[in-house]
Amino acid sequence: MNPLETAREQLRAAQKIARIDQGIFERLLSPDRLIEVSIPVRMDSGKTRVFTGFRSQWNDAVGPYKGGIRFHPDVTREEVMALSAWMTWKTAVLGLPLGGGKGGVVVDTKPFSDHELEALSRGYMRAIAPFIGKNRDIPAPDVSTDPRVMGWMLDEYEVLVGEKAPGVITGKPLVIGGSLVREYATAQGAFFVLENAVQKLHLSRRVRVAIQGFGNGGGHMARLLQESGYSIVGISDSQSTVYREEGLDVAEIEAHKRATGSLKKCFGCESLPREALLAVPCDILVPAALEGAITLKNSKEIQAKLIVEVANGPVTKEADAVLFDRGIMVVPDILANAGGVTVSYFEQVQNAMNAYWTEDDVLQKLKEKMQEAFEAVWASHEKYNTTLRMGAYVVALERVAAAMRARGRI
Ligand code: NAD
């Protein structure tokens, strides 16, 4: 099933509970608009290559479209559309005054020089500039795009419109209007909801955590959890798992990975195959790597009582049913990894005020937002006697439908 069909299936399942107006529901099954662009790039060789890019604007009833830009060879229009739908539900669950959008370019930028990457970034921005704006559609980083790319894109946009417009894009470098905390916001948000879930489940002291993926999401998550007294017993990357029953030293593992490029042969730790991470004895499992990592097969081996989805879509539909039957609670991606977009929203607020908050201010505001969202999702899951995932979808669907009704978009 392609990601767009998956996104639609999830919505249909939520509609069985939420029962919003049929007309609104049908409108939410497709994007408001899909933009396809051609981006010519003069490569260092002197030859011009033309790349295909997309921007999907799913829904803006609550506020301007919001979502990242991905540079990846596997980008498809269906994937971009699905990701823009998920952004719509994510911003709605968090109660942000934003809608959902997503962009992508079909390209492998790994062999690109800095100059080629800059030319592609500026070219994409030139192509989509007529359709975006701080009150229209606000892009951000995603896979293979980063603050540097956002800086080039902002500069190109400002040259086109002839004025400063920092609020048109988020995830910018600090020096041109970025926000503190943005770099680790996804993990920080996931940490706050994990703490809420731990309280609800009455998990005791020395809670053991296993983390799949040791990149931006998983790496910061491991650090934050250890700093708060959790015992990180397992971590995996694309090659292997490192495990220690008494708990790993995250800083040491980080240093080892930096020095050797691998998690293998960490002193005093067991080295296991990559897939073994999912089945290690632990209380909480944090998938922070890939889509579809937890499947029908391996979901039966999971020992954790709680799963917190830092990755997007790490649990397949079939696995979701197994986990539900086994009484394993799953905090869904549209809630758990929404810290990034929430701090993106804070970045825009600071740009609009032209005044900037301290790290503590941002952390406090993020904590409040994540807690509010968690409570709303928890209440919905109890009210409808359903999973947290469906609880979150119902919250999102009801909020977006209310905004559609308020605008008379029926
Ligand atoms: P990243 O590229 O920084 O890190 C990915 C990590 O996963 C790497 O350590 C890699 O080695 C590991 N990995 C790859 N294949 C693996 C496998 N088969 N088994 C175990 N580990 C494997 O990416 P990231 O930014 O941390 O994103 C991870 C997930 O979180 C993605 O699904 C992404 O969409 C989602 N997410 C990230 C953010 C963010 O702000 N970074 C926000 C929302 C959602």
Side-chain angles (χ1 to χ4, degrees), residues 102-244:
K102 201 82 181 191
V105 179
V106 189
V107 58
D108 177 8
T109 53
K110 277 198 208 100
F112 275 32
S113 67
D114 281 359
H115 169 258
E116 290 166 338
L117 185 61
E118 179 173 351
L120 176 72
S121 306
R122 289 185 183 273
Y124 179 72
M125 178 50 87
R126 273 197 305 282
I128 64 159
F131 308 98
I132 67 165
K134 69 178 165 51
N135 295 318
R136 254 190 218 180
D137 183 354
I138 306 128
D142 192 68
V143 176
S144 296
T145 56
D146 59 11
R148 193 169 62 140
V149 168
M150 298 303 110
W152 290 325
M153 288 189 178
L154 174 67
D155 190 63
E156 191 66 25
Y157 184 84
E158 291 180 341
V159 168
L160 287 170
V161 298
E163 62 180 19
K164 292 291 161 217
V168 73
I169 203 158
T170 60
K172 302 178 289 289
L174 277 180
V175 69
I176 52 172
S179 177
L180 291 167
V181 182
R182 182 64 182 80
E183 194 208 329
Y184 62 96
T186 300
Q188 186 68 60
F191 170 80
F192 289 138
V193 295
L194 179 146
E195 290 251 277
N196 281 283
V198 163
Q199 272 181 15
K200 296 281 187 196
L201 291 181
H202 306 292
L203 293 182
S204 59
R205 279 285 114 207
R206 193 182 170 266
V207 179
R208 297 161 306 161
V209 189
I211 303 178
Q212 182 191 43
F214 201 43
N216 179 288
H220 284 299
M221 195 67 181
R223 174 182 61 79
L224 291 167
L225 286 165
Q226 184 156 68
E227 280 169 8
S228 293
Y230 290 82
S231 178
I232 313 299
V233 291
I235 295 175
S236 68
D237 66 5
S238 57
Q239 295 161 35
S240 64
T241 294
V242 56
Y243 175 75
R244 187 164 178 268

Side-chain angles (χ1 to χ4, degrees), residues 257-389:
K257 168 115 193 186
R258 213 176 309 121
T260 66
S262 152
L263 294 176
K264 289 178 188 159
K265 297 186 184 156
C266 281
F267 182 69
C269 308
E270 256 181 87
S271 189
L272 303 173
R274 181 182 76 183
E275 298 72 27
L277 184 280
L278 297 174
V280 300
C282 65
D283 304 294
I284 306 177
L285 178 63
V286 179
L290 299 174
E291 280 172 34
I294 300 177
T295 60
L296 180 62
K297 191 155 168 261
N298 63 29
S299 57
K300 293 171 187 156
E301 290 153 20
I302 289 173
Q303 301 197 40
K305 304 172 191 75
L306 172 67
I307 296 177
V308 179
E309 294 184 340
V310 168
N312 279 313
V315 177
T316 65
K317 193 177 149 204
E318 298 75 25
D320 230 4
V322 173
L323 296 172
F324 183 69
D325 288 344
R326 293 188 56 210
I328 299 172
M329 178 165 286
V330 180
V331 184
D333 46 8
I334 58 170
L335 169 63
N337 70 27
V341 70
T342 303
V343 175
S344 268
Y345 161 64
F346 294 156
E347 183 174 330
Q348 261 215 312
V349 173
Q350 295 170 80
N351 295 152
M353 296 188 307
N354 202 13
Y356 290 84
W357 298 332
T358 64
E359 190 162 2
D360 282 349
D361 284 342
V362 179
L363 285 172
Q364 189 50 40
K365 289 180 204 305
L366 177 62
K367 187 172 185 180
E368 281 165 20
K369 275 281 174 210
M370 298 305 300
Q371 274 176 348
E372 262 174 38
F374 181 87
E375 289 304 335
V377 169
W378 188 268
S380 163
H381 124 94
E382 285 195 323
K383 179 175 169 190
Y384 297 109
N385 189 25
T386 185
T387 58
L388 285 178
R389 188 182 315 283

